[in-house]
Amino acid sequence: MNQTSDVIIIGAGVIGAATAYFATQQGLTVTVLDKGLPASGTSSACEGNILVSDKELGPELELTRYSLGVWHGDLAEHKKLWEFESKGGIIVASRESSLTSLERVMAAQASYGVVVEKLDPDALRQAEPNITPDALGGASYPEDCQVQPMLVAAHLVRLATEAGARFVADTAVTGFLRAGKRVTGVTTTRGDFAAGAVVNCTGTWAGELAALAGVDVPVLPRRGFVMVTEPLPPMVHHKVYAAEYIDNVGSSDAGLQASPVVEGTPSGSILIGSTRERVGFDRTVSIDALRLLAQNATALFPFLAEVKAIRHYHGFRPYCPDHLPVIGHDERAPGLWHAAGHEGAGIGLSAGTGKLLAQALAGMTPDLDVSPFTPARFGEQARNTSHREEATA
Amino acid sequence: MNDTTTGRTERADVAIVGAGPAGLAAAVAAAESGAAVVLVDAAAQPGGQFWRHRPEGIVQERDGRGHHGWKTYLDLRARFDAGRERGQITYLPGLQVWMAEKDDAGFTLRTTPTVAGPVGGPAVAARRLILSPGGYDRQLPVPGWDLPGVMAAGGIQAFLKGNGSLPGRRFVIAGTGPFLLPVAAGIAEAGGQVVAVLESSSPAAWLPHLGAAAGVPEKALEGAEYAAVFARHRIPYRTRNVVTEVLGSGSRGSSRVTAVRSAKVDAKGKVRPGTERGYADVDVVGFGWGFTPQMELPLSLGAETRLDADGSLVGVVNERQESSVPGLFLAGEVTGVGGAKLAVLEGLAAGAAAAVRDDAARAAPGLHAMARHRRFAEAMHRAHPVPAGWQEWLTPATVVCRCEEVTAGQITEAREMLEARDARTIKSFTRAGMGWCQGRVCGFAAACLGQGPAAPPSAESLSSAARRPLAAPVGIGELAALEPSDS
């Protein structure tokens, strides 16, 4: 036996890192295991969004607002470490029909307490002078922010280790230690680790890991491409996206979708996102994805046609069929916990997820009811394969 | 933007990337074996870096002064031009490949103009692909290397070959390897003053490898030629010497190289205290620490790689120059840095093999000669290693990634505090390698710094530094004008 701790956290992505950080804050002894280095998975292949503007009304928006409070509260002292930026989001409508639906969404969001402000064409042009002349208006979301997600994960792991946690890199979990039904630890490529609680924070791999424990957690990958331009003087000042983005986020369509999300970064590069397609873990670069990104981005910001892309990257958003994350204790395998499946919102939701889970791990009642995210919603039986089939259909 | 050029597809049996010694030879061999060939090259005229010459339309002079193997070039060029006249070779200069794809039918290359124009480049589709993109000077950071006037040794040579003039007056050439010799000789012959050539290794390092070197007598002749040039121009050649700092003066923004500090080092590259000296009145410093093969296209197609004797990531090939990806052939520096003669032999072998329709075994030409050159190259690599102690020449403030202005101190901190131990993680946490050059200049150094001073970087780390999903910058307007795929 390598070591015994109160909690084992599998995965040093942003969710695992935040959980480790808050668990140590609760006074728990923590071991973090990762098959590679911190932020090697989806945390390193995303845009670092902390968005309220794109959330469906309901439990996810509640979690988002709670998480936003944690970013600005508990984690405020560390903002500089991960380049926290309150850049604000702007949704742009270029068609009458999308303007109408945007206005409807805005009203609903406002009723849930989201800060949102209507932008008429003049105000929009003042906020984003290089926006397409076709823009009819928009909505401003001053609460939307951004972080450098790899630095979030790496620094939260570091802060956790400074508070007593142990981080073990390059260590893959191969199975679970059991005492009857109960999960009592993990077997790994570097020996066994025991703990009272094991937390599955493995993002897109969460389903595979859960299967090792004999439970079904249907987390599936949804691929997204992001394109990065050459460094430029400031041309795009907010996170700017098209009204259609909101429809795509909640969609289960397997086909390639792309709606423009264009934003400037402190380095001068502009990020152009993002596609959504369900193609499993296919890493083949898709010409169609790049073309769609380019077409949509130039439609939003015509000057981009003359700008060069210097790289692109893709990641796999971990999502559940009902588009809600899985957070909490798994009664089907007592001792096993999950925090995964945050889809495209994992960075923003990490702070809140970590804090709530740490409260629960410490035996407290979490600040926010996490029952909508319970693993039990996937049924009592051992994992079946129907979700996998759905993914490849 | 939506011009027919963007949507055009050139089709051939064999597509070749690069018109240097390997690519030119490959094109000739494939065409002479009966294949239809398309050759894509970033430059405006054939020859690559090695046979770079002044613009053919403007300068008539084609005597190849200052070029080695110029006769070989003229021969290949004549056969290349003949292939074009027969309609067998389609030559597409001035295009960079930004992406290569493979499917059941073969390979597709996406291109973009090297010099940005109003339209994008055509696509190239072929059943077989030969990649011979060459390499570029490997660079190591040193305090002051981000000053204007610091160049890659190969950059000075390219400047001279391409313009017929020099980028400065008084030069210090430093680094390691036989390539420093022709660079210094070229400067001296063109009228520049070489204040010193500082070689971090020692000629004694050659001795154990002379057996391998003896198989390639022409290399000894080349060496004798350089020795004569060095003697004629009184160029000091100082072994076990390195530049420890480049000094500049002038206000920020207009400062420029004025001097260098050097020191003697031991076999591990550790500075010997008390041996420091300065070279004043220097306006150009040229660094060369060997070469880095351009691996982004082979990597993007999934070709198997290995670490070569010089620490570079290179592609694995069989005796027909075919990689682990069926139909993908590699020739020249991407299979291991070995000089132009080896590159030509590899190109000829790859061209002949790629032109054969079935996979019937066909003896590749020049196998013995290739083996001799490879032994020689390996001996050279072992005699001229990147000194293990180079990281100690840095201060925490030394800039490692010039595009993003990331310092050695930031990288060390990421390694020590944030577990950033490979080039990919270093890049994620510090932005080293995220700028315009995408880590082409600092990738090797960042991988070394991620590993720490104890060991050279692993193949995995180098491979993460060399993976570039866009092999060249491409206009977003060009991407928007791409044709939708068939499927």
Side-chain angles (χ1 to χ4, degrees), chain B residues 3-346:
Chain B
D3 184 277
T4 48
T5 314
T6 304
R8 198 177 83 217
T9 299
E10 295 280 351
R11 291 178 196 281
D13 301 322
V14 178
I16 300 170
V17 178
L24 209 51
V28 165
E32 289 173 0
S33 304
V37 174
V38 174
L39 185 147
V40 184
D41 188 49
Q45 55 194 28
Q49 293 297 338
F50 189 74
W51 289 321
R52 181 193 279 266
H53 50 284
R54 297 166 71 183
E56 289 170 11
I58 302 164
V59 181
Q60 294 304 312
E61 163 209 5
R62 283 183 69 178
D63 63 357
R65 201 156 43 99
H67 279 290
H68 277 100
W70 191 247
K71 272 190 188 158
T72 307
Y73 170 71
L74 291 179
D75 168 56
L76 288 174
R77 179 63 189 273
R79 291 156 71 187
F80 180 73
D81 290 346
R84 289 179 67 192
E85 274 161 32
R86 289 195 306 273
Q88 260 188 295
I89 297 176
T90 303
Y91 172 51
L92 302 176
L95 293 177
Q96 288 180 299
V97 175
W98 60 267
M99 181 171 153
E101 299 163 272
K102 184 181 194 304
D103 62 20
D104 295 341
F107 300 86
T108 305
L109 306 175
R110 308 282 174 172
T111 71
T112 181
T114 306
V115 180
V119 292
V124 175
R127 225 161 43 79
R128 305 271 172 84
L129 174 62
I130 302 173
L131 294 175
S132 44
Y136 47 85
D137 297 73
R138 182 156 61 189
Q139 296 290 297
L140 296 178
V142 67
W145 79 307
D146 47 336
L147 283 165
V150 175
M151 298 177 73
I156 297 173
Q157 192 183 54
F159 192 98
L160 179 58
K161 286 177 177 176
N163 305 308
S165 64
L166 287 168
R169 202 170 43 82
R170 279 171 54 87
F171 297 74
V172 168
I173 304 301
T176 192
F179 180 62
L180 302 181
L181 305 179
V183 172
I187 292 168
E189 296 284 78
Q193 190 178 354
V194 180
V195 179
V197 174
L198 306 180
E199 161 65 60
S200 68
S201 298
S202 156
W206 283 49
L207 293 175
H209 310 289
L210 274 183
V216 189
E218 59 268 38
K219 293 287 180 188
L221 278 176
E222 266 178 38
E225 279 172 43
Y226 295 134
V229 174
F230 273 46
R232 192 158 69 241
H233 295 281
R234 296 170 201 274
I235 300 174
Y237 182 68
R238 303 213 157 90
T239 58
R240 286 276 155 80
N241 263 270
V242 302
V243 169
T244 53
E245 185 175 6
V246 181
L247 303 168
S249 73
S251 58
R252 185 160 170 79
S254 67
S255 68
R256 207 193 140 79
V257 171
T258 54
V260 302
R261 286 208 177 103
S262 75
K264 282 186 92 65
V265 290
D266 66 15
K268 293 234 156 90
K270 215 175 173 55
V271 169
R272 291 178 186 277
T275 61
E276 294 85 358
R277 63 174 288 181
Y279 294 93
D281 192 20
V282 171
D283 59 354
V284 178
V285 184
F287 285 113
W289 294 100
F291 294 88
T292 297
Q294 304 222 58
M295 288 299 292
E296 43 275 88
L297 290 174
L299 281 171
S300 75
L301 289 166
E304 193 185 317
T305 58
R306 64 180 175 89
L307 275 187
D308 202 11
D310 62 350
S312 288
L313 189 75
V314 300
V316 174
V317 290
N318 63 16
E319 71 285 351
R320 308 162 71 234
Q321 299 299 124
E322 192 167 11
S323 74
S324 63
V325 178
L328 173 63
F329 296 76
L330 307 175
E333 316 296 47
V334 285
T335 68
V337 174
K341 286 206 165 106
L342 176 58
V344 167
L345 292 170
E346 291 186 353

Side-chain angles (χ1 to χ4, degrees), chain A residues 146-172:
Chain A
Q146 179 120 30
V147 289
Q148 206 277 36
M150 294 84 94
L151 289 177
V152 172
H155 278 290
L156 285 176
V157 168
R158 173 183 67 82
L159 291 165
T161 54
E162 284 172 8
R166 180 180 180 209
F167 174 61
V168 188
D170 302 319
T171 303

